[in-house]
Amino acid sequence: KLLEARIKLVSNTTENYASVQKNLNVIANQNGVKIKEIGDLYTKLSMSLKPLGVTTNSVMQVTDAFSKTLLISGASIAEASSATQQFAQAMASGRLQGDEFRSMAENSPRFMKAMTDSLGKTSSEIRQMAEDGKLTSSIVGGALIDAMAKLREEARSMPMTVGKAFNELKNEATLTVEQFDKLSGTNEAIAKGFQSITEKVIKLREELPKMSAEMEEWEKKNEKGLYTLKVVGGAVLDAIATGGGALYEFEKQWFKQS
């Protein structure tokens, strides 16, 4: 639900949203990345790059290219997920540096090669650019788009793995559940149910001080009556206990004589 809402925010029309969602699903499955991370990356890239005049198609290419660098670098599903999240955070901030850059350098050597090839600099110079805050979102995005043709070719030669196949299954399952929820409204109904319960709990909490005060007032007004009730009640219980004991002794004696 939240991912869908974010993608809609950066999509111009309903038709554009449907196309974007379909393309993101293809990218996630082809490159062995979770659909949630890919969607999050796309939305953050859109918010960072579109104000600079970058088109939806170019943002999609950057998303795809980055994912392909992870696939080609042999990153595991977990490593790809972590790297994608960090890259998305970096792009949202407007530049790639610090821990995010170090994560890219460690988990995706192919990403570093795309930077060096496109910018015509050595790895050391790229690292220095990162330290100086010069690897802006537009520079990084442009370098990835430049490398797209080679990345596609290299990605096609990558073998299918069990992890990648299982990730694709999970992506499709996620989308199926979302589609079912959209048609049936199940999750929304459950959410409204919890919301209703929460409102009742809040109302009860707000009423508790008043209820407590009213109880104290009632106890003060009926203090004598409560005391009498306790005394009489205690006497009744004692009488029942005494009477029960006497009846028991009587029955014993009766049956003994019989």
Side-chain angles (χ1 to χ4, degrees), residues 168-207:
E168 184 173 348
L169 174 61
K170 288 196 291 185
N171 284 341
E172 293 302 328
T174 298
L175 293 175
T176 299
V177 170
E178 288 180 356
Q179 184 65 19
F180 175 78
D181 174 46
K182 190 183 297 183
L183 294 173
S184 66
T186 303
N187 284 351
E188 187 174 353
I190 293 173
K192 286 182 177 179
F194 278 122
Q195 190 175 37
S196 176
I197 293 171
T198 301
E199 289 171 356
K200 287 179 173 59
V201 169
I202 292 173
K203 187 175 181 180
L204 175 62
R205 186 185 67 217
E206 291 173 346
E207 291 289 331

Side-chain angles (χ1 to χ4, degrees), residues 134-146:
K134 294 180 180 179
L135 284 182
T136 63
S137 298
S138 57
I139 289 175
V140 173
L144 287 171
I145 290 175
D146 289 343

Side-chain angles (χ1 to χ4, degrees), residues 114-180:
M115 294 296 104
T116 57
D117 289 349
S118 176
L119 300 178
K121 296 183 180 295
T122 64
S123 295
S124 297
E125 289 173 327
I126 295 294
R127 290 178 187 277
Q128 189 59 52
M129 287 182 69
E131 289 182 16
D132 295 339
K134 294 180 180 179
L135 284 182
T136 63
S137 298
S138 57
I139 289 175
V140 173
L144 287 171
I145 290 175
D146 289 343
M148 193 61 192
K150 289 183 179 179
L151 291 172
R152 280 201 187 102
E153 185 179 345
E154 292 172 26
R156 275 195 291 268
S157 66
M158 298 300 294
M160 173 62 75
T161 64
V162 173
K164 184 180 174 185
F166 188 61
N167 180 73
E168 184 173 348
L169 174 61
K170 288 196 291 185
N171 284 341
E172 293 302 328
T174 298
L175 293 175
T176 299
V177 170
E178 288 180 356
Q179 184 65 19
F180 175 78

Side-chain angles (χ1 to χ4, degrees), residues 27 66 79 94 144 170 199 208 244:
I27 290 171
F66 175 74
E79 290 169 341
L144 287 171
K170 288 196 291 185
E199 289 171 356
L208 279 176

Side-chain angles (χ1 to χ4, degrees), residues 71-92:
L71 174 67
I72 297 165
S73 298
S76 66
I77 300 299
E79 290 169 341
S81 176
S82 175
T84 302
Q85 289 176 15
Q86 289 185 302
F87 185 68
Q89 290 171 0
M91 293 299 97

